[in-house]
């Protein structure tokens, strides 16, 4: 038996990370791009965990299939935790990586700092058709600096420095998977999911 699971994302990088993490489990992975065009979930939670749960529940109900959703973002200490759950739209409704990073630099300048401690956080939530919920979180600590380095990654990665002074944008995909907040959340989620699949698919 194989279980169909919808990954609630149209972001191919995220989809790929989840596919790699679930490799070897008895699952058929579908993305939102594989199924009918559904409306977006209203992500009005106050935490990453709430938003991941809202998205997973919404797409589970819409598709009638088990679903995994994630929500992630950056929290900068000198900005009182901003952009937080607004990371994707920090610079406004039509924001993208370039405008979000500009806004980040402006806010650092307004706060009178050139760097600040910061965290990337990720929440993942699996919801099954019977309502069973398995959630996991991951975090990576670092420093946001107002100098960009590296060509890889996405989002705030060129400004996010790890302890060894490399930015997230200077890592290979494999290095990022092993160090990132999403990688950590996946490593917590997968064994729990595996246990459930082994019990329910027998
Ligand atoms: P969402 O989880 O798709 O809602 O997007 C969260 C936003 O947080 C992204 O658009 C990025 O701006 C930021 N973000 C989340 N994870 C990362 C990451 O690994 N690197 C850089 N930015 C990230």
């Amino acid at each position: 038996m194989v279980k169909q699971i919808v990954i609630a994302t149209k972001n191919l990088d995220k989809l790929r990370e989840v596919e790699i993490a679930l490799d070897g489990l008895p699952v058929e992975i579908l993305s939102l791009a594989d199924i009918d065009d559904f409306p977006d979930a209203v992500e009005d939670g106050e935490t990453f965990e709430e938003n991941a749960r809202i998205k997973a529940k919404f797409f589970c109900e819409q598709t009638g299939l088990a679903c995994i959703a994630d929500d992630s973002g950056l929290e900068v200490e000198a900005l009182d935790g901003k952009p937080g759950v607004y990371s994707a739209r920090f610079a406004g409704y039509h924001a993208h990586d370039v405008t979000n990073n500009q806004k980040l630099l402006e806010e650092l300048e307004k706060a009178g700092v050139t760097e600040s401690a910061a965290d990337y956080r990720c929440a993942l939530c699996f919801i099954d058709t019977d309502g069973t919920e398995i959630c996991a979180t991951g975090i990576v600590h670092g420093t946001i600096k107002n100098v960009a380095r590296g060509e890889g990654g996405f989002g705030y990665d060129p400004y996010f420095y790890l302890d060894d002074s490399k930015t997230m944008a200077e890592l290979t995909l494999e290095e990022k998977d092993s160090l990132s907040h999403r990688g950590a959340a996946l490593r917590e989620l997968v064994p729990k999911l595996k246990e459930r699949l082994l019990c329910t698919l027998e």
Side-chain angles (χ1 to χ4, degrees):
M1 280 271 286
V2 165
K3 187 169 186 71
Q4 288 187 314
I5 301 182
V6 176
I7 312 300
T9 187
K10 289 178 186 163
N11 177 324
L12 293 180
D13 292 323
K14 284 188 188 176
L15 182 66
R16 191 198 123 274
E17 285 183 39
V18 178
E19 274 174 340
I20 291 173
L22 299 187
D23 190 36
L25 295 189
V27 291
E28 180 190 344
I29 307 267
L30 303 168
S31 82
L32 290 184
D34 293 323
I35 48 185
D36 289 340
D37 218 7
F38 290 112
D40 285 336
V42 180
E43 293 176 44
D44 56 1
E46 289 183 4
T47 63
F48 298 115
E49 290 81 357
E50 278 174 28
N51 278 339
R53 186 175 290 112
I54 287 169
K55 260 189 269 186
K57 194 157 179 274
F58 177 81
F59 286 109
C60 177
E61 284 167 4
Q62 292 278 327
T63 62
L65 297 170
C67 179
I68 294 176
D70 92 321
D71 196 43
S72 55
L74 174 73
E75 292 182 342
V76 181
E77 197 175 284
L79 306 181
D80 298 323
K82 283 195 294 186
V85 291
Y86 302 105
S87 291
R89 46 190 192 281
F90 195 28
Y93 191 68
H94 295 292
H96 49 78
D97 289 350
V98 173
T99 54
N100 281 335
N101 281 320
Q102 264 164 7
K103 170 89 174 158
L104 177 67
L105 297 180
E106 283 164 23
E107 293 289 318
L108 286 177
E109 199 175 337
K110 269 195 230 162
V113 297
T114 56
E115 62 178 70
S116 167
D119 293 331
Y120 269 139
R121 286 180 187 272
C122 175
L124 283 170
C125 191
F126 164 87
I127 297 203
D128 210 337
T129 44
D130 66 359
T132 302
E133 206 181 284
I134 304 173
C135 297
T137 55
I139 183 167
V140 55
H141 305 292
T143 304
I144 285 290
K145 297 188 188 179
N146 66 354
V147 178
R149 274 206 345 227
E151 305 294 325
F154 67 98
Y156 302 97
D157 283 347
Y159 296 92
F160 190 95
Y161 288 71
L162 295 155
D163 285 346
D164 65 359
S165 84
K166 265 190 184 174
T167 70
M168 278 281 207
E170 293 178 298
L171 303 180
T172 63
L173 279 179
E174 290 71 23
E175 286 169 338
K176 187 171 174 189
D177 280 350
S178 71
L179 290 170
S180 80
H181 46 315
R182 201 165 297 104
L186 280 166
R187 280 189 292 282
E188 185 189 331
L189 183 81
V190 169
K192 294 179 188 172
L193 187 59
K194 187 173 179 179
E195 198 179 322
R196 172 169 174 83
L197 291 174
L198 292 177
C199 294
T200 55
L201 289 179
E202 276 171 3

